[in-house]
């Protein structure tokens, strides 16, 4: 059955016929929406161990069938398993995903036993059974089996398929694999890694836009990780078969995986970030509210959207321009009719505190120049382009576009019609693409939005007719089947490196739709063309959580849903979730009813305004969590399981989430509901809105009228907050520390700050301040450390709001009494309101001690 749904289509564009539009619709809908099973039948198992050799960082075994398997010790908790099945390991060892290739080898020993080889580090035991060859990982401290092969690695010498099967534990659960339209716990599921343009996806659609072949296994409170670094089409089976095993396979290449031992999930995510790279700090304004539509044009309409935001007292930092800003949908150009003065346009919005982000697709219009036509040497992006398209000419002249085996250009079809695609695996081509971004940076564009980069092709979005395309790949000339999944990764790399060359002291801001492992080094991401339904709203939580567990800290989705018509209730509930996602953007397709917050009437707009303003007040908290993600690889948007790994109740909860370690949110995900069940893990929890307390380890019934999301703070937390703002950087203070004392009487926070825009944070231009609260026999004490680092945030007031504060008769600052002031007064002093104590004084950049008596 062919389901008709709206996808991006040109509609009234003169250069496209109605037949083209219909063909685009149909080809988009013919993309596979079901994962392929891992079929082990008919595969040849590797032979028994015949010999082995030892090197400084591991061992290599040779099997009776000439298969070779190398076990490489990278860290005490990380071992790489690289196998070439049926023949020896090739000399070339390259991955676009891997950031760290040189490791300080830890101590390890090898023991020979009659039936096994046992390689032991301080944390892991690797057991290699000789016949048949089976791999087993054990905890070095307890000798407990963590993960083991259910059968030998296997392969098909004709097709090139390689596969591994692992034993499935009775209480083993699985998480990760990047962007999946699926629930949080992947147990009993099967999934395919093959970047695919899938508009209007729903739960169960697979594959979709991006793939990260990295997953976490959890059993009895302990966790391990496996990253299958194979960019061919790969498949994963987490017990969906009836044979009691998990399995993963690839349609070519090596069996190449990394085994991570926790037992902590956070430790695994940190090690994965070591291996594939850490997210650089994006500009702070990327945490601001962002507005988009396919499309805002002409420039005067885009300006009106920004003016309306300001008139409605709605915070806004970014406006996105979709494909209609271009000249005939040619990338690296501007429409002379719709955006005749792009520099003036971006400057006008900057005065309002708004940055411009433009969409950039990989498809370059296939356009031979008219004989005699030439391209201008300065500002070619502003030229007419109808006689000669400078980007196509440059790419063709330098042989930068992908070709088929027979030497012909691969000509696909996207928005400009016939199109060619850059081979980003060719360094000169990647550099050219990155340098071409001058067409935007010269005109004040602040960020780049990479779309359609699976890559999408209206002729064949499955990629099946593209398998004879060859990629340069460092001179290896590898097939498209191996590099389709890294196409978007390399496009993001070219974009990131280009922006770094063009603006070396500014932080690049890039958004991507498709991705492979390692994408966090270059880009943030969003979950593509979702739908305006309650089901999609609910699905977004496990999707964001899964992306975070797959090494991508900065994620989000189209608030309100990209495809279809939303309403005020759905939009309000969506913002009640979206105001806490790292990427917060409202976006809609070209035929959808307008999605801007004021479109649904003042009541719903008031709810949206409430949460956008709260997001901006929470920016110090969110930015602090963002820096932790940059430093540790642990995501901002988290499933409860990540913070409460030993709590069995959390293993499948995916209708709640946490931001950092202490803020828990339970959005309403169904229409007309005003109450919902909320599970609170161990400890004491404060209601964010009322200050009421709840004992954890239980499920409560929470009130949730339309204007309220159930929101809780764990006792023992400090939540830093700033002032209300129209845009990031508008104000410097006051800075408020909301203190929620815990059972131990002590609370600590390390606050990170920097300028939010430059690369200075890499050179120490930062500020770290430790704030501690300690209950004492006399009352309590707050200690503010002397800041470390050279960054200076400017003059501001510090406010400390203490929940459940002790009865206070006096408050001393650095040994001197502070005056008692009326609640809400802005002068230095202290006041009491209910069970909360408020203390404020100026930040002088020195160590401060507050005593509450």
């Amino acid at each position: 059955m062919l389901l008709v749904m709206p996808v991006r289509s040109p509609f009234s564009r003169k250069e496209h016929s109605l037949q083209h539009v219909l063909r685009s619709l149909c080809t988009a809908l013919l993309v596979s929406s079901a994962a392929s099973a891992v079929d082990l039948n008919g595969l040849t198992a590797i032979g028994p161990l015949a010999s082995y050799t030892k090197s400084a960082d591991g061992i290599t075994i040779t099997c009776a069938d000439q298969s070779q398997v190398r076990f490489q010790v990278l860290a005490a908790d990380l071992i790489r398993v690289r196998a070439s099945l049926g023949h020896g390991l090739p000399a070339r060892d390259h991955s676009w995903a891997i950031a760290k290739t040189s490791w300080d080898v830890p101590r390890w020993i090898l023991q020979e036993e009659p039936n096994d080889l046992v390689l032991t580090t301080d944390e892991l035991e690797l057991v290699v059974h000789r016949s048949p060859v089976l791999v087993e990982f054990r905890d070095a401290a307890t000798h407990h089996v963590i993960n083991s092969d259910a059968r030998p690695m296997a392969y098909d010498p004709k097709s090139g398929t390689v596969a591994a099967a692992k034993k499935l534990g009775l209480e083993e659960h699985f998480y990760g694999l990047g962007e999946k339209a699926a629930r949080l716990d992947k147990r009993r599921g099967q999934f395919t890694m093959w970047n695919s343009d899938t508009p209007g996806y729903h739960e169960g659609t697979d594959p979709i836009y991006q793939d990260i072949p990295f997953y976490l296994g959890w059993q009895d409170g302990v966790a391990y990780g496996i990253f299958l670094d194979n960019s061919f089409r790969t498949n994963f089976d987490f017990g969906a078969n009836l044979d009691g095993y998990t399995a993963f396979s690839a349609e070519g290449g090596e069996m190449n995986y990394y085994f991570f031992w926790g037992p902590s999930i956070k430790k695994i995510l940190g090690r994965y970030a070591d291996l594939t790279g850490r997210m650089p700090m994006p500009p702070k304004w990327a945490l601001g509210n962002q507005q988009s539509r396919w499309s805002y044009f002409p420039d005067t309409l885009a300006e009106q959207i920004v003016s309306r935001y300001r008139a409605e007292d709605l915070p806004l930092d970014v406006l996105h321009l979709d494909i209609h800003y271009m000249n005939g949908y040619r990338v690296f150009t501007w429409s002379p009719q719709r955006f005749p003065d792009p520099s003036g346009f971006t400057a006008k919005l900057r005065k309002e505190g708004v940055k411009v982000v433009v969409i950039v697709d990989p498809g370059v219009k296939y356009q031979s120049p008219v004989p005699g036509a030439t391209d201008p040497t300065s500002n070619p992006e502003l030229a007419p382009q109808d006689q000669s398209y400078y980007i196509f000419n440059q790419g063709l002249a330098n042989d930068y576009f992908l070709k088929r085996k027979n030497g012909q250009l691969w000509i696909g079809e996207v928005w400009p019609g016939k199109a060619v695609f850059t081979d980003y695996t060719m360094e000169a081509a990647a550099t050219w693409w990155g340098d071409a971004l001058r067409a935007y940076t010269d005109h004040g564009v602040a960020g780049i939005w990479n779309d359609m980069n699976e890559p999408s092709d209206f002729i064949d979005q499955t990629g099946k007719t593209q398998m004879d395309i060859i990629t340069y790949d460092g001179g290896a000339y590898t097939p498209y089947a191996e590099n389709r999944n890294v196409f978007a990764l390399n496009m993001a790399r070219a974009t990131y490196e280009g922006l770094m060359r063009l603006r070396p002291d500014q932080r690049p801001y890039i958004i991507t739709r498709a991705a492979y492992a390692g994408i966090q080094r270059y880009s943030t991401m969003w979950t593509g063309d979702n739908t305006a339904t309650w089901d999609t709203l609910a699905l977004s939580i496990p999707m964001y959580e899964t992306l975070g567990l797959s090494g991508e800290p900065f994620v989000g989705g189209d608030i309100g849903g990209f495809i279809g018509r939303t309403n005020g209730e759905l939009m309000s509930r969506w913002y009640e979730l979206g105001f806490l996602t790292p990427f917060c953007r409202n976006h809609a397709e070209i035929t959808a009813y307008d999605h801007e917050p004021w479109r649904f009437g003042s009541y719903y707009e008031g709810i949206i305004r409430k949460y956008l303003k709260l997001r901006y007040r929470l920016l110090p908290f969110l930015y602090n969590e963002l820096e932790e993600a940059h430093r540790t690889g642990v995501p901002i948007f988290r499933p409860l399981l990540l913070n409460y790994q030993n709590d069995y109740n959390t293993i499948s909860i995916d209708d709640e989430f946490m931001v950092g370690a202490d803020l828990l949110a339970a959005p309403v995900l169904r229409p007309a509901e005003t109450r919902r069940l909320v599970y609170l893990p161990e400890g004491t929890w404060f209601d964010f809105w009322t200050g009421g307390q709840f004992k954890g380890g239980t499920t409560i019934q929470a009130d949730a009228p339309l204007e309220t999301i159930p929101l809780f703070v764990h006792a023992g937390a400090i939540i830093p907050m700033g002032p209300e703002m129209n845009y990031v950087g508008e104000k410097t203070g006051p800075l408020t520390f909301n203190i929620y004392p815990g059972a131990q009487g002590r609370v600590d926070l390390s606050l990170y700050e920097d300028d939010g825009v430059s690369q200075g944070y890499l050179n120490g231009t930062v500020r770290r301040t430790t704030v501690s609260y300690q209950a004492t026999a006399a009352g309590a004490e707050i200690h503010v450390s002397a800041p470390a680092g050279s960054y200076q945030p400017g003059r501001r007031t510090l406010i400390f709001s203490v929940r459940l504060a002790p009865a206070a008769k006096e408050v001393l600052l650095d040994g001197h009494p502070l005056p008692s002031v009326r609640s809400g007064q802005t002068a230095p002093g202290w006041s009491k309101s209910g069970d909360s104590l408020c203390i404020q004084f100026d930040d002088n950049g020195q160590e401060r001690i507050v005593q509450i008596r």
Side-chain angles (χ1 to χ4, degrees):
M1 178 179 180
L2 180 64
L3 300 178
V4 177
M5 64 179 72
V7 296
R8 294 187 166 205
S9 55
F11 293 99
S12 62
R13 301 167 189 167
K14 293 181 180 179
E15 65 268 41
H16 293 284
S17 65
L18 178 61
Q19 288 76 15
H20 172 84
V21 175
L22 294 175
R23 185 168 68 251
S24 300
L25 287 164
C26 293
T27 54
L29 294 165
L30 289 174
V31 177
S32 171
S33 61
S36 301
V38 177
D39 186 4
L40 302 179
N41 294 319
L43 297 184
T44 301
I46 60 173
L49 190 152
S51 64
Y52 79 91
T53 58
K54 184 179 177 182
S55 60
D57 61 352
I59 61 172
T60 301
I61 68 169
T62 301
C63 302
D65 64 343
Q66 302 306 309
S67 295
Q68 278 193 321
V69 187
R70 175 161 166 70
F71 300 94
Q72 184 180 9
V73 181
L74 302 180
D77 57 359
L78 177 61
I79 293 179
R80 181 186 182 191
V81 180
R82 182 191 179 204
S84 183
L85 306 185
H87 46 77
L89 287 164
R92 187 173 191 256
D93 183 15
H94 175 264
S95 167
W96 294 107
I98 301 302
K100 184 175 181 178
T101 57
S102 178
W103 296 76
D104 294 328
V105 182
R107 62 182 181 182
W108 62 277
I109 60 172
L110 182 68
Q111 295 172 278
E112 286 195 64
E113 297 182 356
N115 298 317
D116 308 313
L117 297 176
V118 182
L119 186 158
T120 305
T121 73
D122 288 347
E123 297 185 42
L124 262 177
E125 280 183 356
L126 166 69
V127 181
V128 181
H129 300 292
R130 295 174 184 265
S131 182
V133 171
L134 296 170
V135 181
E136 186 170 275
F137 296 94
R138 299 174 182 168
D139 183 344
T142 65
H143 308 292
H144 176 75
V145 176
I146 307 163
N147 175 270
S148 60
D149 285 352
R151 56 178 71 183
M153 287 181 275
Y155 61 102
D156 182 343
K158 292 183 179 179
S159 69
T161 295
V162 295
K166 303 286 186 177
K167 293 179 181 178
L168 174 64
L170 177 65
E171 289 292 344
E172 194 168 11
H173 299 263
F174 302 94
Y175 307 90
L177 295 187
E179 186 185 34
K180 290 297 170 188
R183 303 293 295 272
L184 176 67
D185 184 358
K186 306 298 188 294
R187 182 179 170 93
R188 302 299 183 190
Q190 57 187 31
F191 304 92
T192 293
M193 307 285 112
W194 187 247
N195 289 350
S196 303
D197 184 359
T198 48
Y201 60 84
H202 52 80
E203 184 177 343
T205 304
D206 191 74
I208 54 176
Y209 298 104
Q210 63 150 285
D211 66 273
I212 310 293
F214 167 60
Y215 72 87
L216 299 162
W218 177 100
Q219 185 164 226
D220 300 327
V222 302
Y224 67 87
I226 289 180
F227 169 39
L228 175 62
D229 188 14
N230 182 312
S231 55
F232 282 85
R233 184 184 181 107
T234 55
N235 301 295
F236 291 79
D237 184 327
F238 295 125
N241 62 80
L242 301 178
D243 296 323
Y245 61 79
T246 66
F248 45 88
S249 66
E251 295 183 1
E254 301 171 2
M255 175 51 62
N256 177 32
Y257 70 89
Y258 295 79
F259 186 86
F260 303 78
W261 170 225
S264 160
I265 295 174
K266 292 179 181 179
K267 179 169 172 278
I268 295 169
L269 294 176
R271 186 63 79 195
Y272 177 80
D274 290 340
L275 180 67
T276 63
R278 299 183 185 277
M279 173 195 72
M281 288 295 286
K284 192 174 184 179
W285 54 259
L287 284 170
N289 181 39
Q290 307 188 33
Q291 181 63 50
S292 184
R293 180 175 177 81
W294 175 32
S295 292
Y296 288 131
F297 68 91
D299 51 2
T300 52
L301 173 61
E303 292 163 4
Q304 288 172 11
I305 294 295
V306 171
S307 296
R308 185 66 184 269
Y309 255 95
R310 294 290 179 250
E312 297 291 331
D313 190 25
L314 292 163
L316 182 68
D317 263 273
V318 179
L319 189 79
H320 292 248
L321 297 183
D322 212 313
I323 54 178
H324 288 87
Y325 79 86
M326 292 182 259
N327 185 344
Y329 316 103
R330 301 173 180 90
V331 291
F332 303 109
T333 70
W334 294 86
S335 167
Q337 292 78 33
R338 294 167 176 165
F339 290 87
D341 180 14
S343 294
F345 167 72
T346 59
K348 188 171 185 178
L349 266 58
R350 276 198 305 277
K351 290 181 180 179
E352 297 288 337
V354 175
K355 291 81 179 171
V356 174
V357 170
V358 297
I359 198 168
V360 179
D361 294 340
V364 174
K365 183 177 177 63
Y366 179 82
Q367 179 185 325
S368 298
V370 171
T374 59
D375 297 317
T377 56
S378 63
N379 295 120
E381 68 277 4
L382 302 180
Q385 311 296 333
D386 56 330
Q387 301 294 303
S388 180
Y389 174 29
Y390 78 106
I391 287 293
F392 174 78
N393 297 339
Q394 291 175 7
L396 188 66
N398 289 286
D399 203 22
Y400 290 155
F401 299 132
L402 287 168
K403 295 179 179 179
R404 299 184 184 273
K405 283 183 179 179
N406 61 9
Q408 294 180 347
L409 282 175
W410 167 36
I411 301 176
E413 195 165 341
V414 281
W415 304 125
K418 290 183 178 181
V420 291
F421 300 82
T422 301
D423 184 353
Y424 301 108
T425 70
M426 186 186 303
E427 287 306 312
T431 299
W432 165 73
W433 184 272
D435 290 345
L437 293 169
R438 189 181 299 279
Y440 304 116
T441 58
D442 282 357
H443 298 288
V445 168
I448 302 298
W449 166 19
N450 285 344
D451 196 11
M452 307 292 286
N453 55 346
E454 292 73 32
S456 182
D457 175 12
F458 295 159
I459 296 174
D460 174 18
Q461 297 202 44
T462 69
K464 291 180 180 178
T465 62
Q466 299 156 10
M467 292 305 169
D468 64 337
I469 295 169
I470 299 297
T471 57
Y472 178 72
D473 200 8
Y477 295 99
T478 54
Y480 184 77
E482 183 173 351
N483 277 335
R484 176 185 173 96
N485 279 341
V486 296
F487 181 90
L489 174 67
N490 278 309
M491 182 184 182
R493 179 178 63 90
T495 303
Y496 182 89
E497 292 174 354
L499 290 178
M500 285 296 295
R501 289 191 299 273
L502 293 169
R503 299 185 299 209
D505 194 45
Q506 294 186 39
R507 303 178 191 178
Y509 181 52
I510 302 163
I511 309 163
T512 187
R513 188 169 78 178
Y516 184 72
I519 189 64
Q520 70 275 2
R521 302 199 299 269
Y522 311 118
S523 182
T524 66
M525 68 85 56
W526 97 108
T527 52
D529 296 347
N530 61 2
T531 58
T533 65
W534 289 92
D535 286 343
T536 297
L537 172 62
L539 182 62
S540 66
I541 296 179
M543 289 185 72
Y544 302 159
E545 292 173 337
T546 295
L547 285 162
L549 293 178
S550 305
E552 297 186 58
F554 204 119
V555 299
D558 290 339
I559 292 176
F562 177 72
I563 297 171
R565 179 165 182 159
T566 190
N567 58 47
E569 182 189 11
L570 178 57
M571 183 63 83
S572 298
R573 291 300 194 191
W574 216 309
Y575 268 101
E576 288 174 8
L577 188 167
F579 91 100
L580 288 173
T581 59
F583 179 65
C584 177
R585 181 181 76 166
N586 177 320
H587 186 43
E589 57 104 352
I590 195 167
T591 63
Y593 184 78
D594 306 79
H595 276 193
E596 294 83 14
W598 56 84
R599 303 289 188 178
F600 307 96
S602 59
Y603 174 65
Y604 299 107
E605 183 188 3
I607 296 171
I608 295 169
R609 182 184 297 110
K610 168 185 174 180
Y611 286 97
L612 287 179
K613 284 182 175 291
L614 179 56
R615 179 182 178 88
Y616 277 70
R617 289 216 60 204
L618 285 167
L619 280 174
F621 168 69
L622 294 173
Y623 198 63
N624 213 44
E625 297 299 328
L626 189 70
E627 191 274 335
E628 181 183 346
H630 154 72
R631 181 168 33 86
T632 69
V634 179
I636 304 170
F637 194 102
R638 306 177 183 178
L640 275 59
L641 175 71
L642 182 55
N643 290 331
Y644 298 93
Q645 185 175 324
N646 294 315
D647 186 345
Y648 189 86
N649 294 305
T650 67
I651 62 174
S652 61
I653 291 178
D654 56 14
D655 61 349
E656 304 175 27
F657 64 91
M658 296 191 70
V659 182
D662 298 308
L663 189 63
L664 186 151
V668 171
L669 305 172
R670 293 291 178 263
E673 289 188 359
T674 57
R675 289 173 65 81
R676 64 153 291 171
L677 294 174
V678 180
Y679 178 73
L680 298 174
E682 64 183 4
T684 299
W685 295 84
F686 288 85
D687 186 306
F688 180 84
W689 308 109
T690 69
Q693 294 181 73
F694 299 89
K695 182 178 175 59
T698 188
T699 299
I700 66 170
Q701 185 77 250
D703 289 328
L706 182 57
E707 66 274 10
T708 302
I709 174 179
L711 199 60
F712 302 89
V713 182
H714 194 259
I718 300 178
I719 305 295
M721 297 177 68
E724 290 187 358
M725 291 185 288
N726 289 312
Y727 56 89
V728 172
E730 183 187 25
K731 302 174 184 177
T732 59
L735 181 60
T736 301
F737 297 92
N738 296 286
I739 300 173
Y740 299 84
Q744 306 304 315
R746 184 173 179 86
V747 190
D748 295 284
L749 170 74
S750 177
L751 180 70
Y752 172 86
E753 299 173 279
D754 62 27
D755 65 19
V757 292
S758 78
Q759 299 288 346
Y761 75 98
L762 296 173
N763 303 312
T765 310
V766 303
R767 181 183 178 110
R768 293 187 188 273
T769 308
T770 300
V771 176
S772 301
Y773 173 91
Q774 177 67 63
T776 65
E781 184 172 293
I782 299 172
H783 178 241
V784 182
S785 72
S790 59
Y791 172 66
Q792 299 296 325
R795 294 178 59 85
R796 61 188 177 185
T797 298
L798 300 182
I799 300 174
F800 299 84
S801 177
V802 185
R803 296 280 189 175
L804 299 180
K809 294 183 179 179
E810 67 173 347
V811 175
L812 306 179
L813 174 63
D814 301 331
H816 303 288
L818 270 176
S820 175
V821 298
R822 293 192 308 273
S823 179
Q825 189 171 330
T826 58
W830 65 277
S831 62
K832 193 82 185 296
S833 177
D835 65 355
S836 294
L837 180 68
C838 182
I839 305 164
Q840 57 184 321
F841 50 85
D842 291 336
D843 180 9
N844 65 1
Q846 305 296 318
E847 179 184 24
R848 312 303 293 270
I849 297 176
V850 177
Q851 294 169 292
I852 303 168
R853 297 176 178 174

